Amino acid sequence: MGFFTDAYDLFCISLVTKLLGRLYYTVPGAEKPGSLPPNVAAAVNGVAFCGTLTGQLFFGWLGDKLGRKKVYGMTLMMMVICSIASGLSLGSQPKAVMATLCFFRFWLGFGIGGDYPLSATIMSEYANKKTRGAFIAAVFAMQGFGILAGGMVAIIMSAAFKAAYPSPAYEDNAVASIPPASDYVWRLIVMFGALPAALTYYWRMKMPETARYTALVAKNAKQAAADMSRVLQVDLEAEPERVTEENRKQFGLFSKEFLRRHGLHLLGTTSTWFLLDIAFYSQNLFQKDIFSAIGWIPAAKTMNALEEVYKIARAQTLIALCSTVPGYWFTVFFIDRIGRFAIQIMGFTMMTIFMFALAIPYDHWTHRDNRIGFVIMYSLTFFFANFGPNATTFVVPAEIFPARFRSTCHGISAAAGKAGAMVGAFGFLYAAQSKDPKKTDAGYPAGIGVRNSLLVLGCVNALGVLFTFLVPESNGKSLEDMARENENENEDRNENEITEMGVRDSRTVPV
């Protein structure tokens, strides 16, 4: 439910940006309805990414210092408070509303950022090695349902207000096309994200600390055994000597030893997540062109404000339903069968092929008769992003690093992804503008065009294939084997079955 809320909060803003433009930036007598200026649009859409990046680094580090459970509730409360505060953005003047909206969305993103490393780490430390990939991927797959819920809430809100406040199209009556009650629509959509987060808080607080953290990091084998007795509902007894023996030679995150053991792994997880998010988030650029091309969204001036929200939400919900959600759950089903490496290579490869297939004959796709083919190719790119690196880049960093660095390294990898998201969402927003200055969107300079942008994204995905070879396969291996927790100067111990949780039953408990 945490990840469901994360996705809802991050992506619901794209459903209401057009409405914000109409409400606060419509110029009386203008031919077209108002739209957010480029700098304001970038701030409203991107400030949550900035908060998420810093939250991933900070809470990732804090999760290794204070424990997963203590920090987990903190991030959720921040999300609840900031979701509500975002909807209560102060004032009626554009600058006041946008400034307070951006302020609270930054801190909302900060809380969401903490959810990434903590959710992945907690799930990996509770799961067994045979189904661990599916469990972590299932947490991440809730993003798809969060995006879907965002679209559905926007459809319901806009339809209800449209029925209650009928209004003409902008071209018929510009002032009447934006009923004052429209201001409540975007606020309610944004605030709804607080509800699932608030409902989840009690269960997060009831969950015990993971035994791996308690035993391997906090060095409290007795407490780890007690916690796991409660979770597994079997009697376990502590085995403290195994814990104190474990990793006698501790090394730091910035040490040569860490660099020797895990340096390339960290480079692999950060680079692949960075490259994936450039491509994944830039794909949203082409949604408005595709939706307009197939008639899902008519010209803005032919609709009133609430009708535009309804049409945008309906289109994004269809995309989520047909390609985003199925892609996530294909990963859940196959990740423990064919492994992380194969899924990531396949996903990046297919994304590369589809990007080049869209870019090279781009003029062909712009003809009305070929637009349906363009939509199918575009949807398949989304599908293979989710049945591919968008899921595996989340799973792998939670499995391959030592327990005392696990949350921190996942946070670093995720933050690299958000840096890529900012490049994808905003760098390509400018790059994809027409080369002809007369054909650019209002307020934007000339760019390299959609075709060249797609070619660049194809090359980005091809790089993702190469950097995937730096990431080890963790399928079917214990976390301690992947992290080399058991490695010390006495290699002859050859201990493959240790202290996954620093505990032992009178019979063997498989981990």
Side-chain angles (χ1 to χ4, degrees), residues 99-211:
T100 51
L101 177 62
C102 288
F103 175 81
F104 288 119
R105 279 194 64 79
F106 174 86
W107 291 108
L108 174 65
F110 193 71
I112 290 169
D115 233 32
Y116 274 73
L118 293 168
S119 291
T121 301
I122 287 169
M123 195 69 260
S124 72
E125 292 183 343
Y126 267 118
N128 68 70
K129 64 186 179 184
K130 289 184 180 177
T131 56
R132 187 178 61 232
F135 271 82
I136 305 172
V139 170
F140 193 65
M142 289 304 293
Q143 269 205 344
F145 288 120
I147 295 167
L148 201 59
M152 291 169 70
V153 168
I155 287 170
I156 293 165
M157 292 289 184
S158 57
F161 274 80
K162 193 169 65 163
Y165 303 95
S167 52
Y170 181 87
E171 60 187 357
D172 297 330
N173 187 331
V175 175
S177 73
I178 312 168
S182 303
D183 194 53
Y184 292 111
V185 173
W186 75 266
R187 294 177 187 274
L188 288 169
I189 291 169
V190 168
M191 291 168 75
F192 184 84
L195 187 61
L199 293 173
T200 312
Y201 185 76
Y202 172 77
W203 299 107
R204 277 200 185 183
M205 292 299 92
K206 292 286 285 181
M207 185 170 58
E209 181 59 84
T210 71

Side-chain angles (χ1 to χ4, degrees), residues 95-390:
K95 282 187 180 178
V97 175
M98 296 305 148
T100 51
L101 177 62
C102 288
F103 175 81
F104 288 119
R105 279 194 64 79
F106 174 86
W107 291 108
L108 174 65
F110 193 71
I112 290 169
D115 233 32
Y116 274 73
L118 293 168
S119 291
T121 301
I122 287 169
M123 195 69 260
S124 72
E125 292 183 343
Y126 267 118
N128 68 70
K129 64 186 179 184
K130 289 184 180 177
T131 56
R132 187 178 61 232
F135 271 82
I136 305 172
V139 170
F140 193 65
M142 289 304 293
Q143 269 205 344
F145 288 120
I147 295 167
L148 201 59
M152 291 169 70
V153 168
I155 287 170
I156 293 165
M157 292 289 184
S158 57
F161 274 80
K162 193 169 65 163
Y165 303 95
S167 52
Y170 181 87
E171 60 187 357
D172 297 330
N173 187 331
V175 175
S177 73
I178 312 168
S182 303
D183 194 53
Y184 292 111
V185 173
W186 75 266
R187 294 177 187 274
L188 288 169
I189 291 169
V190 168
M191 291 168 75
F192 184 84
L195 187 61
L199 293 173
T200 312
Y201 185 76
Y202 172 77
W203 299 107
R204 277 200 185 183
M205 292 299 92
K206 292 286 285 181
M207 185 170 58
E209 181 59 84
T210 71
R212 279 187 171 93
Y213 180 85
T214 308
L216 301 178
V217 183
K219 306 294 186 192
N220 188 341
K222 189 174 180 182
Q223 184 61 47
D227 288 342
M228 288 314 294
S229 294
R230 190 149 56 98
V231 172
L232 298 176
Q233 297 183 331
V234 294
D235 291 328
L236 300 166
E237 60 183 70
E239 196 174 7
E241 69 278 3
R242 302 292 279 278
V243 177
T244 52
E245 244 179 61
E246 187 271 337
N247 253 1
R248 282 174 275 180
K249 237 180 129 181
Q250 297 282 337
F251 55 86
L253 180 62
F254 300 106
S255 65
K256 286 183 180 178
E257 185 63 18
F258 179 86
L259 197 64
R260 180 181 74 81
R261 293 191 188 194
H262 301 291
L264 285 177
H265 298 164
L266 188 58
L267 175 62
T269 57
T270 52
S271 58
T272 51
W273 207 333
F274 175 77
L275 293 165
L276 174 273
D277 275 9
I278 290 177
F280 184 74
Y281 283 89
S282 63
Q283 281 177 287
N284 294 313
L285 293 176
F286 311 114
Q287 284 199 9
K288 64 179 184 347
D289 301 322
I290 290 163
F291 296 158
S292 300
I294 60 176
W296 284 355
I297 301 179
K301 65 182 181 180
T302 64
M303 299 180 283
N304 62 45
L306 294 170
E307 190 179 357
E308 188 173 38
V309 175
Y310 178 84
K311 294 276 176 70
I312 291 169
R314 186 183 65 177
Q316 292 202 14
T317 303
L318 281 168
I319 288 286
L321 198 59
C322 297
S323 63
T324 307
V325 172
Y328 282 122
W329 290 96
F330 264 69
T331 302
V332 173
F333 186 76
F334 286 108
I335 193 166
D336 289 314
R337 289 170 169 79
I338 62 177
R340 291 76 163 138
F341 182 82
I343 289 176
Q344 189 160 310
I345 286 283
M346 176 199 66
F348 269 128
T349 303
M350 297 305 289
M351 288 171 73
T352 306
I353 291 167
F354 284 121
M355 284 291 185
F356 284 133
L358 289 171
I360 294 168
Y362 183 69
D363 292 336
H364 167 80
W365 297 118
T366 57
H367 298 303
R368 184 164 293 279
D369 294 344
N370 304 322
R371 296 257 171 97
I372 297 298
F374 188 90
V375 174
I376 292 169
M377 300 270 277
Y378 173 79
S379 298
L380 283 170
T381 313
F382 258 117
F383 175 81
F384 280 106
N386 294 316
F387 181 33
N390 195 34

